[in-house]
Structure formats: C-alpha cells, structure tokens
C-alpha cells in the first residue's frame, strides 16, 4: 500500500467556491479497494441516512474534510470518531507540520503530550514511575 502522503488529492472546486467531492476515476489511482466512494461522499455531505463506514472510508472522509479547512473537533463530531484518531490520520498523510509531530528520534506520529506521541508518552510515564519507586524505596 502506498503512503498516505503519496496519494492524490481527490477533490475539486466548483465555480461558486463550494467544495465538491470527486472520487478517483480508476482503482489504480488509489491504493485500496475497500472504499465505497459514494458512502464517503454521503458522509462528507451529511446526507441521511448516514452510511456505516469502515476505517479506510472514515480516514478518507476525515482527511478530505481537514484538507478543506474544517476544524478537527468538527470533523470528529461530524464523523463520530475520536479527535486524536483524526490527528493520527493527518500525521500519516503528512498534513501536520514538524512541530506537531513526536520529538523522539525518527518517530513521525502526532504529538499527544510533552512533545511525544502516545506510545513514547506512555513509555516515558512508566520510566518516571519506575524512577520514582526506586527513590521511595531508597
């Protein structure tokens, strides 16, 4: 599967400056075959009934909305996914600036706290707890 940042932008602007979702024309323009583009379009536009989306479809809808300047919190509510998950998808797609990424060497995930991603933040907390328990024992 190709990296998210290598995928083409799948949107176009119409004359009246409204964003219009345009799905890829052929399967080779996109790396996955598990996406129902019409379901993604209905989810983006908010049409009822709301379709049930798989993770790939949710990611594509979230990234499309974020590329078109919808705030992350609004995307989270609109698609019923965690805001942190939207941020992680943005990091995978290369949409975050370097100051929004983990500061640990070579890690390209989104920051969660103290400049670290959730994995490195959890490891740091465990390390600090271990040091604190050694100091208490001494």
């Amino acid at each position: 599967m190709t990296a998210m940042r290598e995928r083409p932008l799948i949107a176009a602007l119409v004359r009246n400056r409204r964003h219009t979702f345009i799905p890829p024309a052929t399967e080779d323009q996109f790396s996955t075959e598990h996406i129902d583009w019409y379901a993604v379009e209905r989810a983006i536009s908010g049409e009822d009934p709301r379709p049930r989306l798989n993770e790939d479809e949710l990611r594509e809808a979230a990234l499309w909305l974020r590329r078109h300047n919808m705030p992350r919190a609004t995307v989270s509510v609109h698609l019923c996914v965690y805001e942190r998950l939207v941020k992680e998808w943005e990091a995978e797609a290369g949409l975050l600036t370097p100051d929004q990424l983990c500061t640990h060497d070579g890690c390209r995930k989104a920051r969660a706290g103290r400049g670290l991603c959730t994995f490195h933040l959890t490891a740091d907390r465990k390390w600090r707890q271990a040091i604190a328990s050694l100091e208490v024992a001494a």
Side-chain angles (χ1 to χ4, degrees), residues 103 111-117 121 124-125 128:
T103 56
R111 283 186 179 187
R114 292 188 181 175
L116 302 171
C117 65
L121 185 62
D124 183 60
R125 284 183 186 144
R128 289 175 187 270

Side-chain angles (χ1 to χ4, degrees), residues 2 4 14 20 31 38 44 73 104 116 131:
T2 60
M4 291 291 294
V14 287
T20 303
S31 63
Y38 297 106
I44 287 171
H104 196 271
L116 302 171
I131 295 297

Side-chain angles (χ1 to χ4, degrees), residues 9-24 37-38 40-42 44-45 47 64-65 67-68:
L9 182 62
I10 52 175
L13 290 173
V14 287
R15 288 182 190 251
N16 61 1
R17 303 294 298 160
R18 287 190 58 225
H19 297 289
T20 303
F21 179 78
I22 300 174
W37 293 106
Y38 297 106
V40 172
E41 181 181 12
R42 284 196 318 272
I44 287 171
S45 65
E47 290 181 23
W64 193 91
L65 291 169
R67 283 184 183 117
H68 291 86

